[in-house]
Amino acid sequence: MKFDLDDPRWTQRQFIVAGVADDKTINNYIQLGHLKPHRIQGRRMFTALQAIEVGLTAKLATICSLPPSTGKQLARGAILGADGAWLRADAESGRGKLTGQKWIAASSHRQQVYIRKNAKGETVVSNEDETGEAVALIFPFQIFARSILVGLEKSAEAD
């Protein structure tokens, strides 16, 4: 299946089937302004990039107990910091590029960030550990993003 990462073609139900996040989390993110659905014929529609961002934000909230605002900041940084060419090529070419040895060999891309609390108790995220007190967070962004894309494809096939 070929699709544009910026095309609002995915429903909230497809997000859930794809494993992006559960219904409650998606509704909370919409209410808090972390996720802005596109309204098409009265339905909430989302893009694949939103799926990756929300999925990663939800994972970071679950695994690292990060607030959604911090998780979203990390997710957006990972999306912007990653080589977008592989992401667009996978979406445009269909599932063929998402399977086999080439996928495994190319899937080791990781992002590393540092997380710490400042004097006010706020969570601070940066690319360097300026204080020596931060915790390094390394996550396999490319593997995660590709799994979301595959999940979206499967959810579309199921409808």
Side-chain angles (χ1 to χ4, degrees):
M1 167 188 297
K2 295 182 181 187
F3 57 88
D4 186 339
L5 293 171
D6 301 308
D7 183 20
R9 62 175 292 155
W10 312 101
T11 64
Q12 187 163 334
R13 181 179 174 282
Q14 288 172 321
F15 263 35
I16 295 164
V17 171
V20 173
D22 61 40
D23 201 35
K24 182 179 177 183
T25 301
I26 293 169
N27 287 330
N28 284 342
Y29 286 5
I30 291 169
Q31 245 180 350
L32 294 169
H34 297 303
L35 176 61
K36 293 186 168 108
H38 302 265
R39 287 282 180 186
I40 299 175
Q41 297 177 350
R43 296 177 73 190
R44 289 178 176 173
M45 302 298 283
F46 305 92
T47 69
L49 283 176
Q50 286 176 309
I52 294 167
E53 185 176 289
V54 168
L56 187 53
T57 300
K59 276 285 185 240
L60 291 169
T62 302
I63 295 170
C64 304
S65 299
L66 290 177
S69 57
T70 303
K72 183 178 178 180
Q73 179 185 355
L74 286 173
R76 185 160 289 156
I79 290 168
L80 295 175
D83 173 13
W86 65 264
L87 195 56
R88 294 214 181 268
D90 283 352
E92 291 166 3
S93 68
R95 191 176 309 171
K97 282 202 160 200
L98 300 177
T99 58
Q101 201 64 25
K102 184 175 181 180
W103 180 85
I104 295 168
S107 66
S108 61
H109 182 78
R110 292 183 293 278
Q111 298 265 311
Q112 178 171 329
V113 295
Y114 295 92
I115 304 169
R116 65 179 173 80
K117 296 280 186 184
N118 65 14
K120 296 178 183 176
E122 302 164 326
T123 303
V124 177
V125 178
S126 64
N127 292 326
E128 299 176 9
D129 182 10
E130 303 94 6
T131 64
E133 300 172 359
V135 174
L137 174 65
I138 302 170
F139 53 91
F141 172 73
Q142 193 167 1
I143 293 171
F144 181 82
R146 284 184 169 166
S147 71
I148 291 290
L149 293 177
V150 170
L152 288 173
E153 287 178 343
K154 289 181 178 178
S155 73
E157 291 169 3
D159 280 351

